[in-house]
Amino acid sequence: MLYVRKKPIVLEKLEAIVPRLAPQHPSYSKVEHALAKEWKGFIGEKKVDFFLQQLDDRFTILSGIYLRVHDSNFQIDTLVISPQALYIIEVKNYNGTITFDTTLQQFFRNDGLQEKGYRYPITQAELQKSHLENWLLERSHAEIPIYYFIAIAEPSTIIQVKGDEQAIARVVSHGEHIASKIWEIEQSIQGTNTIEQQKIEQLIRSANRSQTHNVLDKYMIKKTDILPGVVCSICGKIGMERIHGAWKCPHCQGISSTNHLKAINDYLLLINHEISNQECMRFLGIKSHSVVTRLLKGSNLSYNHTNRKWIKKS
């Protein structure tokens, strides 16, 4: 089974902001922290994805599901669709020791330096299951079995339980064991139920909403705070110069012929969904209209002759 998880749009935006925000900006440290958190979550999901490849072609894996039911949105990290059931997989990427307290429904992580409490993952997964059941019910699919798991991405993480160990063991495990847990359920319900797998997949794909994540507003960043220029992919500093058909970094002397592509994408992510030649000249720091036109033509964008702006291809 070949499956590749796409980078979440919020992660893309945070990656674009950090090198383009002055370190003295009031929100700089918050954005840096948010970027590190999003990256850690994404890496954890990728780790679990690797082990889910053990499932054969009878299973469909969907990621980053964002649906709306009863006037509210809900998100699912990973959804596995089998011929018999749906499996919600909530991924947690923690180091050190984590503790599930089933009596008080609390969740803690101890990284060796401090103990910190987080939202109880079981409650979170149960809520996702309830939302998905209601979403399917609205579409006349009320009898589909739905199961959930909490996948701990880091294999070295120690899992402890205060209270009902068996209840936690049924739904919580390291990522490498999730596929086998799915297989166990599949075998136990074999022949009892068959779902319209392809139809359910298409329903979810077509309804999957795009998360806009207005990161600038969230961190009180103005568009004018976003620094223009081409970022060096070697040293990470902004301000590469266009020299002899390439980009040269004045800080590390690194050279690239394609770093403008990332800069244009940053603009489309953070400033506007479309860009004119004039705006591109300013953002890239290029004075030649013909050079910018040539770069835009090679950027896999579509040109709108009506407003004379470039936009991402749909």
Side-chain angles (χ1 to χ4, degrees):
M1 177 188 299
L2 181 61
Y3 164 71
V4 179
R5 180 182 295 268
K6 293 182 179 179
K7 189 181 293 185
I9 188 67
V10 64
L11 178 54
E12 288 189 26
K13 289 186 176 183
L14 290 169
E15 282 184 310
I17 290 174
V18 169
R20 297 186 179 279
L21 196 63
Q24 61 268 27
H25 191 282
S27 297
Y28 185 83
S29 60
K30 292 181 181 178
V31 175
E32 265 198 325
H33 177 75
L35 175 58
K37 182 180 178 181
E38 288 293 331
W39 252 116
K40 186 172 184 180
F42 182 61
I43 291 171
E45 290 165 356
K46 296 277 283 184
K47 286 181 179 179
V48 175
D49 289 345
F50 174 78
F51 294 111
L52 289 178
Q53 304 301 316
Q54 300 172 26
L55 299 171
D56 59 37
D57 291 338
R58 286 175 292 176
F59 297 83
T60 301
I61 303 174
L62 303 179
S63 65
I65 303 302
Y66 194 63
L67 302 173
R68 187 169 183 83
V69 65
H70 296 167
D71 297 324
S72 63
N73 300 319
F74 68 100
Q75 182 179 355
I76 296 174
D77 289 341
T78 304
L79 182 67
V80 176
I81 306 175
S82 84
Q84 301 181 104
L86 304 182
Y87 299 88
I88 295 170
I89 302 173
E90 178 68 19
V91 180
K92 300 297 179 184
N93 192 10
Y94 295 116
N95 297 319
T97 301
I98 57 175
T99 302
F100 291 83
D101 185 332
T102 62
T103 304
L104 299 177
Q105 294 191 337
Q106 293 181 331
F107 178 72
F108 305 94
R109 184 207 65 179
N110 190 324
D111 61 1
L113 298 175
Q114 65 174 343
E115 187 174 64
K116 184 177 180 181
Y118 296 88
R119 183 182 181 188
Y120 195 55
I122 307 299
T123 302
Q124 185 178 357
E126 288 175 343
L127 185 59
Q128 291 170 342
K129 177 184 176 182
S130 176
H131 284 325
L132 185 56
E133 286 173 338
N134 288 329
W135 187 87
L136 290 167
L137 179 61
E138 287 182 350
R139 287 150 185 83
S140 303
H141 292 281
E143 303 300 323
I144 298 178
I146 301 176
Y147 303 89
Y148 64 81
F149 296 108
I150 311 298
I152 309 304
E154 178 54 52
S156 64
T157 300
I158 299 171
I159 304 172
Q160 293 184 343
V161 179
K162 288 183 178 181
D164 193 340
E165 292 186 354
Q166 290 186 350
I168 295 299
R170 281 194 293 269
V171 296
V172 177
S173 74
H174 289 104
E176 60 188 311
H177 303 303
I178 295 297
S180 61
K181 282 183 171 290
I182 291 175
W183 273 116
E184 288 177 9
I185 293 177
E186 286 290 296
Q187 292 172 357
S188 68
I189 64 175
Q190 190 171 14
T192 61
N193 187 69
T194 301
I195 70 174
E196 298 176 278
Q197 186 178 7
Q198 189 172 7
K199 184 176 181 179
I200 297 300
E201 176 190 348
Q202 290 304 317
L203 272 175
I204 293 173
R205 286 189 185 275
S206 61
N208 194 19
R209 302 165 63 87
S210 175
Q211 292 178 273
T212 55
H213 284 292
N214 197 327
V215 178
L216 297 185
D217 284 351
K218 181 177 181 179
Y219 295 101
M220 294 181 289
I221 300 170
K222 300 176 183 177
K223 290 183 179 180
T224 52
D225 294 331
I226 301 299
L227 300 174
V230 176
V231 178
C232 177
S233 55
I234 298 175
C235 70
K237 293 185 177 180
I238 200 167
M240 295 190 83
E241 301 169 350
R242 187 72 179 174
I243 300 175
H244 305 304
W247 297 96
K248 184 175 182 179
C249 178
H251 305 285
C252 71
Q253 308 305 309
I255 295 177
S256 169
S257 60
T258 60
N259 278 15
H260 62 279
L261 297 174
K262 177 66 167 62
I264 294 171
N265 190 60
D266 289 352
Y267 181 96
L268 297 173
L269 278 172
L270 304 175
I271 308 299
N272 199 344
H273 70 284
E274 54 187 8
I275 186 169
S276 68
N277 288 49
Q278 196 70 27
E279 290 165 344
C280 191
M281 288 172 64
R282 179 194 68 82
F283 201 73
L284 298 184
I286 294 178
K287 296 181 180 180
S288 172
H289 189 278
S290 61
V291 170
V292 163
T293 300
R294 185 168 65 251
L295 293 177
L296 285 168
K297 285 182 177 179
S299 299
N300 196 32
L301 301 175
S302 296
Y303 184 66
N304 186 330
H305 291 274
T306 302
N307 63 4
R308 303 174 69 179
K309 290 189 176 184
W310 301 80
I311 192 170
K312 285 185 177 181
K313 293 181 178 179
S314 57

